[in-house]
Amino acid sequence: MGIIGEWQMAKVSVIVPVYNVEKYIRKCLDSIVSQTLNDLEIILVNDGSTDTSPAICEEYKRKDERIKMITQKNQGLSAARNAGLKDATGEYVIFIDSDDYIAENMLEILVENITKSSADAATCGIYNVYQSHMKPQYHKKEKYTCDNVEAYRQILIGQKIPASICNKLLRKECIKDLCFPVGRHYEDAFFHIDLMQQVKTVCVDTQPLYYYVHRSGSITTRKYQKSSYDIVEAYEKNIKMVREKYPELIPESEFRVFWAYFVVLDRMLQEKEYRNIEQYKHVKRYLKKHVKDIIKNPYFTRNRKIAAMVLKFNLELYKMLSRKDQKNKMVIS
């Protein structure tokens, strides 16, 4: 970039949990070690991998002195992130998932943004990467600084600020006492509840710099299992906090609760014996009860609102409409 700016002198801890990702880890690590921002601490947390992922990480560690490696028994993504955070020494911290990758200037841009704005966090947009194509989460390019309430609003909507933790550079001072919930899926949703009460300002940059890879078998693409219900519990906990502290965000929080129930129902309906799933009747009953609220909510697509109305009397038609809505990417990460 020419003259060295203040942002190029900052130290960033990049935390990468690693578990059985031998097909993806090289692309992820290549994108990190080749960053235009050089002053990095790269923490790889091997969470009990049983494939060649640890050997690949060791190979990169030998080549790059900025890389250090933590090895632990398999405890899940949250525990791996917590271990990395505990060991981080950087002024700023970012979490990168080991099956994703980032633009070569992502960290430089985020550090520049967070430094110039004196914010507690800086965010960027993401590309959703599928087998045949990739698509930005938000198509317009915008850049601004806002308070934590407006930032939280945008996280709940999930467009200008996608609701992943991986597209956010965080001032370590703000998160040093926080941790991800061990043993729970959708840990980002739980973590954001605490995070957004710690930060005061956020620099938002919607240009997509993070490449989020949608792969079959991942937590966000697999069929229903009992842990899938964690997403409902996360956003029910979220709306309880919002009602107490940020009542102006109730419409957005309600959207996320309804959205979570839709996510769970749609995964249940992928199973042949979905009627025998413990929570099926409750989830279906909840959505039918709140059809009017869903229709009034400004953040749902027209197709999803129609699907909600149809759910009351024709489940097969609902399934068809929900699949169509998912193809149009109503389901946000």
Side-chain angles (χ1 to χ4, degrees):
M1 286 185 63
I3 298 174
I4 297 177
E6 179 187 354
W7 59 89
Q8 290 176 292
M9 303 303 294
K11 186 175 183 180
V12 176
S13 295
V14 182
I15 299 170
V16 185
V18 178
Y19 178 71
N20 290 356
V21 284
E22 60 187 4
K23 294 181 180 179
Y24 306 92
I25 187 64
R26 289 186 183 276
K27 189 166 188 175
C28 175
L29 293 182
D30 285 341
S31 73
I32 296 172
V33 299
S34 62
Q35 286 292 298
T36 54
L37 181 75
N38 185 63
D39 193 8
L40 305 178
E41 172 186 62
I42 304 168
I43 305 174
L44 309 182
V45 185
N46 171 30
D47 188 44
S49 296
T50 57
D51 65 359
T52 63
S53 297
I56 295 171
C57 291
E58 288 288 355
E59 174 190 330
Y60 277 78
K61 182 175 179 289
R62 288 192 296 269
K63 295 178 181 178
D64 195 322
E65 63 182 8
R66 298 173 300 174
I67 296 177
K68 57 183 178 180
M69 193 167 169
I70 299 171
T71 298
Q72 61 183 33
K73 293 181 180 179
N74 179 243
Q75 301 174 58
L77 179 60
S78 287
R81 286 176 174 172
N82 291 339
L85 180 58
K86 185 177 180 181
D87 211 44
T89 62
E91 180 181 359
Y92 305 105
V93 173
I94 192 165
F95 301 93
I96 305 294
D97 284 347
S98 53
D99 48 359
D100 300 333
Y101 55 99
I102 60 178
E104 66 176 5
N105 59 346
M106 173 176 156
L107 297 181
E108 182 175 11
I109 289 173
L110 288 177
V111 171
E112 178 179 356
N113 288 349
I114 200 171
T115 304
K116 287 187 171 181
S117 64
S118 298
D120 295 321
T123 74
C124 67
I126 69 171
Y127 278 112
N128 289 294
V129 181
Y130 302 93
Q131 188 171 2
S132 61
H133 68 288
M134 63 182 180
K135 185 176 182 180
Q137 186 91 350
Y138 185 71
H139 291 272
K140 297 179 181 179
K141 288 188 178 181
E142 300 179 24
K143 185 176 174 180
Y144 57 90
T145 300
C146 61
D147 63 18
N148 64 331
V149 177
E150 178 57 26
Y152 204 6
R153 186 194 314 280
Q154 295 305 326
I155 289 172
L156 292 169
I157 296 170
Q159 294 295 320
K160 294 182 181 181
I161 310 180
S164 166
I165 197 62
C166 297
N167 65 325
K168 299 172 180 68
L169 182 72
L170 307 170
R171 194 178 297 277
K172 189 188 176 187
E173 185 66 24
C174 294
I175 63 170
K176 63 180 182 179
D177 297 324
L178 303 184
C179 62
F180 290 87
V182 177
R184 306 298 295 268
H185 287 167
Y186 303 98
E187 50 284 311
D188 291 3
F190 286 101
F191 190 77
H192 275 118
I193 296 171
D194 298 324
L195 171 66
M196 298 313 294
Q197 297 178 73
Q198 297 299 315
V199 302
K200 294 181 179 179
T201 55
V202 177
C203 183
V204 180
D205 190 336
T206 65
Q207 64 174 315
L209 299 169
Y210 189 92
Y211 293 79
Y212 174 50
V213 178
H214 294 256
R215 60 187 178 100
S216 59
S218 68
I219 291 172
T220 54
T221 58
R222 65 175 64 137
K223 292 183 180 181
Y224 182 80
Q225 49 189 287
K226 192 172 182 180
S227 59
S228 300
Y229 200 78
D230 284 356
I231 194 170
V232 168
E233 294 184 1
Y235 284 113
E236 286 183 336
K237 180 180 179 182
N238 173 80
I239 198 168
K240 181 179 179 181
M241 183 275 293
V242 164
R243 285 182 175 132
E244 293 175 356
K245 297 185 177 182
Y246 310 112
E248 62 267 51
L249 298 182
I250 287 176
E252 292 79 11
S253 295
E254 287 181 339
F255 162 69
R256 274 295 178 172
V257 173
F258 299 147
W259 171 84
Y261 272 94
F262 277 127
V263 168
V264 169
L265 178 62
D266 291 350
R267 288 190 183 161
M268 287 178 171
L269 294 177
Q270 294 182 59
E271 304 294 337
K272 289 183 179 180
E273 303 298 326
Y274 62 84
R275 287 186 173 87
N276 296 329
I277 297 174
E278 180 182 357
Q279 295 283 2
Y280 168 70
K281 289 183 180 179
H282 166 70
V283 170
K284 185 180 176 183
R285 191 182 306 118
Y286 179 92
L287 288 170
K288 290 172 70 172
K289 177 182 177 181
H290 290 280
V291 168
K292 290 183 179 179
D293 298 319
I294 292 166
I295 293 171
K296 292 178 182 177
N297 193 287
Y299 301 111
F300 282 107
T301 64
R302 180 174 178 271
N303 282 341
R304 180 55 69 172
K305 291 179 180 182
I306 293 173
M309 290 188 288
V310 167
L311 180 62
K312 298 195 74 169
F313 60 87
N314 191 321
L315 186 62
E316 290 303 314
L317 183 55
Y318 166 81
K319 288 164 68 175
M320 184 184 74
L321 290 171
S322 66
R323 283 195 296 268
K324 180 179 179 181
D325 200 50
Q326 289 174 44
K327 286 181 180 179
N328 291 332
K329 300 296 174 290
M330 185 284 292
V331 177
I332 37 189
S333 302

